[in-house]
Amino acid sequence: MLFRSHLDHAGSIEHYHNIKLNMFRNQTKEDLMIYCSDNETLNKLIKQQDFKSKPYTVNMKNIEPSDVYLKEGNIYYKEKEIYRTSYPRKLLGNHNLENIVVALLVGTLMGLNNDKMKETIKEFEPLDYRLQKIAEQNNVEYYVDTLATIPEATIKSIETLKKVNTLIFGGMDRGINYQILIDYLAKSPIEHFICMPTTAHKISEFLPKSKVFLVNTLEEAVELAKRVTKKGSICLLSPAAPSYDQFKNYKEKGDKYKEYIIKKN
């Protein structure tokens, strides 16, 4: 996949995408190239170049013929069913389904047993700080998602959880375009946007004023969330930005969130 990310290091989106493709440029004809052809930007860039390795494509939107594709709730590899979206899994959301499908393709190409792969997927535990439920208090569920450092990841998380009533977001500004998140949040049913520096303070100017709450610290954000989040719903911390402005990394931010949640009022 290709997204708008790491611009604080890469300088421009074009340069970031170009250096990502070095993984394919440095392959030989003995290597395998696996990519998501339903990512329009990535698909276009790959078609413009002549890579030596053998391509395998994953296309969950059925935009064009692909080696792995979704059809009527089933995942196929070259017309052979390898997975069903109805199978139980702890990795929630369509974004994790995409990850699962790529892993299944790798395993299939390596000749691994399909039944064993499906059993492993069923039992696989999500990473800490990635859509992780950390507490339930006063009939409110609290999720931490500090690994979501780009707008697309936060959007996927909201869509996965569905019952998000309060969103805590914002972090270090590394110069990426947040229009996709602005458009999504402005139309969403989320009632409380708790905005932290720096990015969410900027984004807040484009969101419904009645839903916006500006805070300066994570502790303030959690205290506010405890007061305003409706019972029977979810409070989600999903920054859509890196955490380096106030924390050492996403783990420290996630740990502090958990600490503030379980702290007695």
Side-chain angles (χ1 to χ4, degrees):
M1 281 289 192
L2 283 183
F3 294 112
R4 293 178 175 270
S5 189
H6 304 295
L7 299 193
D8 49 323
H9 296 295
S12 70
I13 190 65
E14 292 79 16
H15 182 56
Y16 172 61
H17 287 174
N18 185 56
I19 58 180
K20 285 279 282 188
L21 290 177
N22 281 337
M23 69 179 74
F24 295 152
R25 293 192 187 98
N26 292 314
Q27 288 186 308
T28 71
K29 63 181 181 179
E30 306 300 325
D31 295 318
L32 308 179
M33 175 175 70
I34 296 174
Y35 68 97
C36 296
S37 59
D38 51 8
N39 184 292
E40 186 176 345
T41 301
L42 177 58
N43 200 32
K44 182 179 179 180
L45 288 173
I46 287 179
K47 287 183 176 180
Q48 290 173 349
Q49 303 186 50
D50 184 21
F51 297 115
K52 297 177 182 178
S53 50
K54 185 175 181 179
Y56 287 86
T57 55
V58 174
N59 193 320
M60 299 293 284
K61 298 176 183 176
N62 294 330
I63 298 172
E64 58 183 40
S66 178
D67 295 295
V68 178
Y69 56 93
L70 173 67
K71 181 180 179 182
E72 297 177 352
N74 299 330
I75 308 297
Y76 293 88
Y77 169 63
K78 296 186 181 296
E79 301 184 0
K80 179 182 178 181
E81 180 189 304
I82 58 174
Y83 193 72
R84 295 184 181 182
T85 58
S86 59
Y87 286 155
R89 53 188 169 98
K90 300 175 183 178
L91 293 168
L92 304 177
N94 288 332
H95 58 296
N96 273 322
L97 179 61
E98 292 170 348
N99 293 333
I100 287 169
V101 169
V102 172
L104 279 167
L105 174 57
V106 172
T108 299
L109 294 173
M110 293 177 64
L112 301 186
N113 181 277
N114 184 258
D115 289 335
K116 288 184 178 180
M117 287 195 290
K118 287 186 287 190
E119 186 62 28
T120 299
I121 292 165
K122 177 182 176 181
E123 300 300 327
F124 193 89
E125 295 285 349
L127 292 172
D128 288 344
Y129 315 102
R130 188 70 180 97
L131 267 190
Q132 181 184 21
K133 182 178 177 180
I134 59 168
E136 184 167 350
Q137 294 183 352
N138 300 318
N139 201 23
V140 173
E141 297 177 78
Y142 292 89
Y143 280 80
V144 60
D145 191 38
T146 48
L147 263 174
T149 59
I150 58 174
E152 290 86 351
T154 293
I155 291 171
K156 294 281 189 181
S157 299
I158 294 168
E159 290 177 341
T160 298
L161 296 178
K162 294 182 172 55
K163 296 191 301 179
V164 176
N165 182 252
T166 297
L167 174 68
I168 303 173
F169 72 112
M172 188 183 80
D173 188 352
R174 57 185 177 190
I176 68 173
N177 188 321
Y178 277 92
Q179 194 60 51
I180 185 175
L181 183 63
I182 292 170
D183 293 343
Y184 180 83
L185 295 182
K187 298 176 182 177
S188 80
I190 296 173
E191 295 184 11
H192 311 106
F193 298 121
I194 301 181
C195 304
M196 293 184 60
T198 298
T199 54
H201 279 197
K202 295 180 178 179
I203 292 171
S204 68
E205 299 177 10
F206 305 97
L207 300 178
K209 301 304 179 188
S210 61
K211 297 183 176 184
V212 168
F213 302 83
L214 297 181
V215 299
N216 290 313
T217 69
L218 182 58
E219 188 169 15
E220 288 178 73
V222 172
E223 289 174 355
L224 177 59
K226 287 183 176 183
R227 294 199 302 268
V228 302
T229 307
K230 283 186 175 180
K231 295 184 183 300
S233 68
I234 290 172
C235 171
L236 168 66
L237 168 62
S238 187
S243 303
Y244 303 124
D245 54 338
Q246 295 187 12
F247 302 91
K248 182 170 64 176
N249 52 36
Y250 70 91
K251 293 182 180 180
E252 184 182 51
K253 190 171 187 175
D255 287 341
K256 285 296 182 182
Y257 177 66
K258 183 176 181 179
E259 176 186 321
Y260 299 145
I261 292 294
I262 64 177
K263 184 176 72 173
K264 295 199 180 290
N265 294 321

